[in-house]
Amino acid sequence: MSDKKYDLIVIGSGPGGYVAAIRAAQLGMKVGVVEKESLGGVCLNWGCIPTKALLKSAQVFEYISHAKDYGIEVSDATADFGAMVKRSREVANGMSKGIQFLFKKNKIEHIAGFGKLKSKGKVEVKGADGKTEIYEAKHIMLATGGRSRELPNLKQDGKKVIGYREAMSLEKQPKSMIVVGSGAIGVEFAYFYNSIGTKVTIVEYLPNIVPVEDEEVSKQLERIYKKAGVKIMTSAEVTKVDTAGEGCKVTVKTKKGEEQLECDVVLSAVGVSTNLEGIGLEEVGVKHEKGKVLVDEYYKTNVDGVYAIGDIVAGPALAHVASAEGIVCVEKIAGMNPEPIDYKNIPGCTYCQPEIASVGYTEKAAKEAGYEIKVGKFPFSASGKASAAGAKDGFVKVIYDAKYGEWLGAHMIGANVTEMIAEVVAARKLETTGHEILKTIHPHPTMSEAVMEATAAAYDEVIHL
Ligand SMILES: Cc1cc2nc3c(=O)[nH]c(=O)nc-3n(C[C@H](O)[C@H](O)[C@H](O)COP(=O)(O)OP(=O)(O)OC[C@H]3O[C@@H](n4cnc5c(N)ncnc54)[C@H](O)[C@@H]3O)c2cc1C
């Protein structure tokens, strides 16, 4: 094969693209990855990783501020916003360099530039110098990901009305911030900024914050955020932002009428739009609908030899989903027989404090689906480990099918619950019943005992309540 001929070319090096590339290389393919920015995509550079670095800084600051509760005197702790942002950027850069290393190790070529489907088996790449080159591949995978979604009445100027990229790289800490949208991105930034002293207001269009979560989880987070000083406006909509003066004048429509708020910065956290523009979909005839490329269960588009994965296809826009899709797609291309992804068993995590983790049906959704259910709940206030850690907020709630014991869903809010949800995902994958979980010995003292206890509660056998 000449230099410009590959078995697989991936356009986009996010957790979908780079993981697919590595798996393909493991399976013996010659792989090239076209990337116009730093390797690692949104996840490593502007999403999962840098936000978690900022959240860790906020958490450490909170710990120090409450050191007295643990018998430690600390005076004069101050949050150095610039240093926190610098650390977060360094963590992201380090992760991106890690992908460079993995590419080298797996003999994957990084083709720098903007990639576009040119015709069947051909990708055109425009480099930073404006020159274009054509690369050939038997298979082409689109993994171009997403960007911050813009609402018509909330145009981002990158200074006063910002998206997530600016929110994690501001030069100066704003005194006040209005966060529009309370999904994972919105509540994570709200936690970060509130913890370090910014006055934060959340405006959410729906009746509950973190609206995809079980209602009890949403209510608990709302109570905790309000106690921590975050102002929360639900069933509310930002209709206008006036940035003409020094700060922002924000008009919020609520059930009671219109309210005028003022802040330094508005963070628009209303979801993601997909990067489908200019990548040759129309030219090559790849079908897409409502911003998503249409694919089959192995991520093949309607055009032979063209595949799409990650945020640009239907399904939850999450890094672990993008990676799993990339692996299934590449294994199918290699002639293996991979199991299609079960989209009903995808965990979702939110890394605010307390953390949120969930998988499967909410109580409401299970009832609506016609299940007869057993529900159990165990509060961390009754957990020995949570008491010792000073982290008694939150609970684990589990939902089982009353007839067969199938684990329909689990919803957690509390310290470190994002590390606990994998137990539920594995158990559901193995079709474990509630009774088996109840009889699975969990180590003491751990937060994870709450999963066993919540299950025991569902079967009226709870011990510590
Ligand atoms: C603030 C924030 C926090 C998040 N936190 C989490 C989290 O904690 N957990 C989680 O699971 N998910 C999280 N996500 C979501 C997660 O980042 C995405 O679901 C994931 O990155 C999608 O992966 P992807 O491979 O589809 O695309 P992306 O990661 O978006 O990568 C796409 C890549 O393609 C490149 N590209 C685009 N077009 C072209 C082109 N034409 N030519 C060349 N290159 C191109 C882009 O530069 C980019 O590098 C978060 C997202 C945000 C914004």
Side-chain angles (χ1 to χ4, degrees):
M1 265 189 217
S2 88
D3 270 342
K4 291 193 178 121
K5 284 193 175 158
Y6 297 84
D7 294 310
L8 172 70
I9 288 184
V10 184
I11 305 182
S13 73
Y18 86 74
V19 168
I22 292 172
R23 184 72 187 116
Q26 285 173 350
L27 293 168
M29 294 185 218
K30 184 183 177 203
V31 187
V33 176
V34 187
E35 174 55 63
K36 62 182 171 62
E37 295 184 34
S38 302
L39 294 180
V42 169
C43 173
L44 269 59
N45 295 290
W46 298 105
C48 323
I49 304 301
T51 50
K52 270 75 233 177
L54 291 175
L55 291 164
K56 190 70 204 180
S57 291
Q59 201 192 354
V60 171
F61 183 56
E62 277 209 326
Y63 258 137
I64 294 171
S65 311
H66 292 104
K68 215 172 174 185
D69 300 347
Y70 299 87
I72 303 163
E73 286 288 347
V74 180
S75 55
D76 292 339
T78 46
D80 182 343
F81 180 74
M84 289 179 177
V85 169
K86 185 167 170 273
R87 174 178 179 273
S88 160
R89 296 318 309 153
E90 282 167 3
V91 170
N93 293 339
M95 294 299 295
S96 180
K97 283 204 184 98
I99 306 300
Q100 283 176 26
F101 163 79
L102 290 174
F103 274 15
K104 234 182 228 157
K105 184 183 157 202
N106 289 283
K107 301 189 174 48
I108 296 165
E109 192 180 334
H110 170 200
I111 306 164
F114 186 96
K116 175 183 174 174
L117 284 170
K118 185 71 182 162
S119 58
K120 213 166 162 249
K122 291 206 170 110
V123 172
E124 180 187 279
V125 180
K126 189 172 185 180
D129 55 5
K131 283 189 191 141
T132 57
E133 297 223 43
I134 303 291
Y135 294 78
E136 288 179 45
K138 287 184 209 141
H139 307 279
I140 301 169
M141 180 186 283
L142 306 171
T144 51
R147 60 181 186 273
S148 183
R149 183 172 155 231
E150 279 199 84
L151 294 180
N153 53 355
L154 205 57
K155 286 266 176 245
Q156 294 175 25
D157 61 15
K159 291 201 162 60
K160 287 185 177 174
V161 183
I162 62 173
Y164 58 80
R165 283 199 188 211
E166 295 83 15
M168 65 183 88
S169 56
L170 287 175
E171 277 174 17
K172 219 173 112 212
Q173 181 183 347
K175 286 200 173 65
S176 54
M177 175 182 269
I178 292 178
V179 178
V180 186
S182 70
I185 296 175
V187 296
E188 286 184 8
F189 277 115
Y191 166 74
F192 169 70
Y193 277 103
N194 180 63
S195 317
I196 60 168
T198 297
K199 195 169 161 294
V200 176
T201 303
I202 294 177
V203 179
E204 168 57 54
Y205 184 72
L206 293 168
N208 291 313
I209 61 166
V210 281
V212 298
E213 301 296 342
D214 193 275
E215 219 170 293
E216 285 191 77
V217 169
S218 299
K219 291 289 177 213
Q220 175 90 355
L221 189 71
E222 185 170 335
R223 274 194 296 274
I224 292 167
Y225 267 34
K226 280 185 174 162
K227 206 171 142 203
V230 178
K231 181 174 173 182
I232 294 182
M233 301 171 80
T234 48
S235 303
E237 185 186 359
V238 170
T239 52
K240 199 176 150 206
V241 180
D242 178 0
T243 56
E246 223 177 69
C248 306
K249 289 194 174 64
V250 180
T251 309
V252 181
K253 198 168 118 196
T254 66
K255 279 183 186 158
K256 291 183 202 144
E258 279 194 346
E259 225 180 283
Q260 300 288 333
L261 305 178
E262 289 192 14
C263 65
D264 287 350
V265 168
V266 176
L267 166 59
S268 173
V270 292
V272 274
S273 296
T274 46
N275 297 324
L276 300 188
E277 302 83 359
I279 59 170
L281 298 183
E282 272 69 30
E283 289 90 326
V284 177
V286 175
K287 283 192 186 154
H288 56 99
E289 212 175 81
K290 294 184 187 150
K292 300 278 181 179
V293 178
L294 301 178
V295 288
D296 69 9
E297 60 187 347
Y298 298 110
Y299 309 100
K300 196 172 158 313
T301 69
N302 61 305
V303 175
D304 263 358
V306 179
Y307 312 82
I309 58 153
D311 280 7
I312 61 167
V313 301
L318 293 168
H320 42 286
V321 176
S323 300
E325 290 171 346
I327 289 172
V328 166
C329 179
V330 158
E331 289 184 348
K332 187 71 180 170
I333 291 173
M336 295 169 72
N337 193 20
E339 201 181 320
I341 290 173
D342 174 6
Y343 284 92
K344 289 199 180 119
N345 199 22
I346 305 250
C349 294
T350 304
Y351 299 79
C352 47
Q353 289 298 329
E355 294 181 344
I356 295 172
S358 59
V359 64
Y361 286 94
T362 59
E363 183 174 352
K364 190 165 166 246
K367 283 181 187 155
E368 280 168 6
Y371 284 102
E372 202 186 306
I373 55 175
K374 278 186 187 293
V375 178
K377 200 170 140 191
F378 190 78
F380 285 119
S381 56
S383 149
K385 179 67 182 286
S387 285
K392 294 199 287 184
D393 278 335
F395 57 83
V396 171
K397 175 174 174 179
V398 291
I399 299 152
Y400 290 96
D401 170 52
K403 211 166 163 191
Y404 302 110
E406 183 190 350
W407 202 344
L408 296 173
H411 306 274
M412 309 178 180
I413 176 167
N416 297 327
V417 294
T418 57
E419 303 292 345
M420 284 164 50
I421 197 73
E423 170 185 356
V424 188
V425 183
R428 278 164 51 83
K429 170 104 180 136
L430 298 170
E431 298 182 5
T432 309
T433 64
H435 195 255
E436 285 165 327
I437 290 297
L438 172 50
K439 297 298 174 197
T440 301
I441 299 167
H442 285 61
H444 177 74
T446 57
M447 300 292 277
S448 70
E449 282 173 294
V451 175
M452 181 179 67
E453 288 275 41
T455 303
Y459 288 87
D460 295 325
E461 292 182 33
V462 67
I463 302 291
H464 291 100
L465 275 184

